[in-house]
Amino acid sequence: MTCKEIQFRTNVNCGGCVASLRLHLDNAEGIRKWNVGTANKGKVLSVESERITEEQVLDIVKKASFNVELIITSRLRTNTNCKINIVRKHL
């Protein structure tokens, strides 16, 4: 199995925003886990995925009415989970 960690810059800046985004991301097929650093200036959304593209995540976040911009994609590989970083691609 090949997995990816994708990071996005967003305007998700509070617990209410995270709760709103949760309704969309928790139901998206192909996302293993996600989190948003609301305390950080960049409000970075990190998504660990198996079968979802960067464009699909962008669409989901936009449909949730948030601004979003792709920062970086890291390709991860492992048999049971997405923990080992193999190659990092800056976009």
Side-chain angles (χ1 to χ4, degrees):
M1 171 190 324
T2 299
C3 300
K4 296 187 284 189
E5 180 182 6
I6 314 165
Q7 294 183 347
F8 303 88
R9 188 171 295 111
T10 71
N11 64 336
V12 176
N13 59 16
C14 68
C17 294
V18 172
S20 176
L21 188 58
R22 177 175 289 119
L23 296 173
H24 298 271
L25 291 179
D26 282 357
N27 294 318
E29 189 174 324
I31 294 179
R32 291 178 58 91
K33 66 181 181 178
W34 64 274
N35 65 53
V36 180
T38 57
N40 299 336
K41 184 179 178 181
K43 313 298 185 206
V44 174
L45 165 65
S46 296
V47 175
E48 197 171 278
S49 71
E50 290 182 74
R51 301 172 309 275
I52 194 166
T53 67
E54 292 87 342
E55 292 79 18
Q56 289 172 309
V57 177
L58 287 166
D59 287 343
I60 290 168
V61 177
K62 287 176 184 176
K63 285 179 184 174
S65 300
F66 294 102
N67 297 331
V68 61
E69 174 186 350
L70 179 64
I71 299 173
I72 190 170
T73 299
S74 299
R75 302 217 183 274
L76 307 165
R77 180 183 295 158
T78 185
N79 291 332
T80 58
N81 58 37
C82 300
K83 296 292 182 197
I84 303 169
N85 192 353
I86 301 296
V87 96
R88 184 159 252 183
K89 177 182 174 187
H90 293 273
L91 301 174

